[in-house]
Amino acid sequence: MSFEKLGLRAELLSAVAAEGYTTPTPVQERTIPVVLEGRDVLAGAQTGTGKTAAFALPILQLLNKADSAMRFPRALVLTPTRELAAQVHESFLTYGRNLRLRSTVVYGGVGINPQMDKLRRGVDILVATPGRLLDHAGQGTVNLSKVEILVLDEADRMLDMGFIHDIRRIMKLLPVKRQNLLFSATYSDDIRQLADGILHKPELIEVARRNIAAENVTQMVHPVGHSRKRELLSHLIKQGDWQQVLVFTRTKHGANRLATQLLSDGVSATAIHGNKSQAARTRALADFKNGSVRTLVATDIAARGLDIDRLPHVVNFELPNVPEDYVHRIGRTGRAGSNGMAVSLVCAEEEELLTGIQRLLKLTIPVKKIEGFDHDAASAQAYKAERQGEKSFGRRSSPSGFNRRPSNTRNSQSKGYRR
Ligand code: AMP
């Protein structure tokens, strides 16, 4: 299958070719013709599947057909995070570079006035995070009455982040008759309910989930004592001469601390998370992308939707509480056909989380002990000693026991994780 066969116009084909794309990804192959027909879409597709082009290309084509004199937004794309909004907007600019459509992006954390100016000058495509869009709507600086196409990108994450009420308020500002595209990495009852309320006879498109289809991502678990994780990470980065590595921590504080510690180990690092200003987040991402910083330490929310081409290494410094987040995390590597490596540093306390992830993936992640760092007798001893107190609260003590099925998985998310 080629892009030509999907019915895209020459200006879009040349933009796609300039990006070096030769074949459409599965989600593009299935979504583009349906959107061009004007139908609604419910697509199960994660970041890394090429979903942005799957909606951006046909939207550009549809909007290009007619010119709007007023230039009120005719396509509205809602995203959960500022980073994703910025990246989706970039994609519209890239793919639409040979067309005369205007696109802009609005998100919080930066001044509202420049955004107002851009909106005043007129746009065809508006990419927005829900909160800032409502600010503009409240101030009368955006008119959504001409929206023909609505995209909810990473809808599951928008719900996770509590945007449901904002989304509903935005819906009320849109014309009733419009085309709707909903992209979500996961299907939950909440997503189904949202889709039922918004989509009209949608085409259901599901592409192989990256977690299951990600043959080009090598996954690996390194067992390690909790207190030695940072040392092991520095060791892996230096030994392997890893030049670009995205590291996940569970907390903002943990991300900051780890970035500082890596710096003191002589590994260039910066942290990205919700407490940082937008300018700092943008700078951190730019430094990481251009190679001036080797390690980007991120929380799940901050990393969601980051578009970093061919990221070679992802490290789970701590396993996520929710198994699906593991899938999102490792989806950041091995993208669009290139090979990647996803490494998890797992201490004994995280064994149950690992079990949950493996159950979701329906596979056993290979375990590789790194000499000098694994749960040797000494660290197990130390762990035991540290955890003596907890035993009296009835928690199972499990200093070793990798690959062992936990007898009780209920406690895994509620207790006992040191940060
Ligand atoms: P997305 O899932 O939209 O975040 O896209 C993931 C990455 O794949 C982005 O870096 C795109 O530039 C890239 N990409 C999208 N479509 C294609 C394609 N057909 N061929 C190669 N790379 C692509």
Side-chain angles (χ1 to χ4, degrees), residues 105-117:
V105 58
V106 300
Y107 48 74
V110 294
I112 198 166
N113 288 333
Q115 298 177 353
M116 287 178 175
D117 289 342

Side-chain angles (χ1 to χ4, degrees), residues 3 21 23-25 28 46-52 307 309 335-336:
F3 278 102
Y21 305 171
T23 5
T25 65
Q28 291 163 0
Q46 292 173 276
T47 299
T49 53
K51 68 181 168 64
T52 314
D307 178 17
D309 276 342
R335 305 178 75 183

Side-chain angles (χ1 to χ4, degrees), residues 4-276:
E4 282 78 4
K5 292 222 172 79
L6 294 177
L8 293 171
R9 54 187 301 135
E11 293 91 332
L12 294 169
L13 293 175
S14 59
V16 160
E19 283 304 288
Y21 305 171
T22 49
T23 5
T25 65
V27 70
Q28 291 163 0
E29 200 176 307
R30 301 220 19 224
T31 308
I32 291 173
V34 178
V35 179
L36 289 177
E37 278 173 26
R39 297 189 46 202
D40 282 10
V41 165
L42 173 57
Q46 292 173 276
T47 299
T49 53
K51 68 181 168 64
T52 314
F55 62 78
L57 290 168
I59 286 177
L60 286 162
Q61 174 139 331
L62 289 174
L63 296 188
N64 197 58
K65 278 189 184 148
D67 212 12
S68 154
M70 289 173 297
R71 290 242 152 133
F72 289 151
R74 288 182 292 146
L76 172 66
V77 184
L78 295 179
T79 73
T81 63
R82 301 158 184 182
E83 281 79 13
L84 184 60
Q87 283 163 16
V88 168
H89 169 60
E90 280 298 318
S91 297
F92 273 103
L93 294 181
T94 304
Y95 304 138
R97 59 153 85 84
N98 304 320
L99 301 174
R100 294 181 52 218
L101 294 165
R102 285 193 216 162
S103 162
T104 196
V105 58
V106 300
Y107 48 74
V110 294
I112 198 166
N113 288 333
Q115 298 177 353
M116 287 178 175
D117 289 342
K118 291 210 176 97
L119 289 169
R120 205 173 295 125
R121 273 181 256 136
V123 294
D124 301 292
I125 297 148
L126 176 59
V127 185
T129 51
R132 179 54 67 94
L133 181 65
L134 284 169
D135 289 346
H136 280 285
Q139 299 196 34
T141 50
V142 69
N143 182 329
L144 299 175
S145 68
K146 296 284 181 275
V147 170
E148 296 164 24
I149 309 172
L150 169 73
V151 182
L152 297 180
D153 194 11
E154 303 201 355
D156 48 348
R157 189 50 61 132
M158 284 203 265
L159 296 187
D160 287 351
M161 290 170 72
F163 284 136
I164 185 65
H165 300 296
D166 285 353
I167 293 173
R168 293 208 190 287
R169 284 172 63 201
I170 292 166
M171 290 306 131
K172 293 202 180 105
L173 304 173
L174 305 179
V176 178
K177 192 173 168 315
R178 50 166 207 266
Q179 187 176 4
N180 303 288
L181 317 176
L182 189 152
F183 289 79
S184 177
T186 51
Y187 284 132
S188 60
D189 287 346
D190 288 343
I191 285 290
R192 243 178 282 272
Q193 211 179 345
L194 181 73
D196 285 348
I198 291 177
L199 305 176
H200 178 67
K201 293 190 184 153
E203 173 84 7
L204 300 179
I205 294 173
E206 182 136 37
V207 295
R209 294 185 53 140
R210 284 196 65 83
N211 55 328
I212 290 147
E215 307 94 15
N216 54 342
V217 178
T218 307
Q219 299 177 59
M220 187 72 70
V221 163
H222 295 314
V224 57
H226 185 281
S227 60
R228 303 204 59 202
K229 281 190 175 189
R230 191 260 300 158
E231 247 179 290
L232 174 58
L233 178 59
S234 292
H235 170 82
L236 290 170
I237 293 174
K238 288 179 181 170
Q239 279 298 108
D241 196 23
W242 295 355
Q243 290 306 322
Q244 201 181 35
V245 46
L246 178 62
V247 181
F248 285 93
T249 59
R250 289 213 300 242
T251 65
K252 298 169 189 176
H253 181 63
N256 274 340
R257 196 176 44 209
L258 180 60
T260 311
Q261 289 171 335
L262 288 171
L263 278 173
S264 67
D265 283 350
V267 174
S268 62
T270 186
I272 189 165
H273 54 67
N275 280 3
K276 291 211 160 185

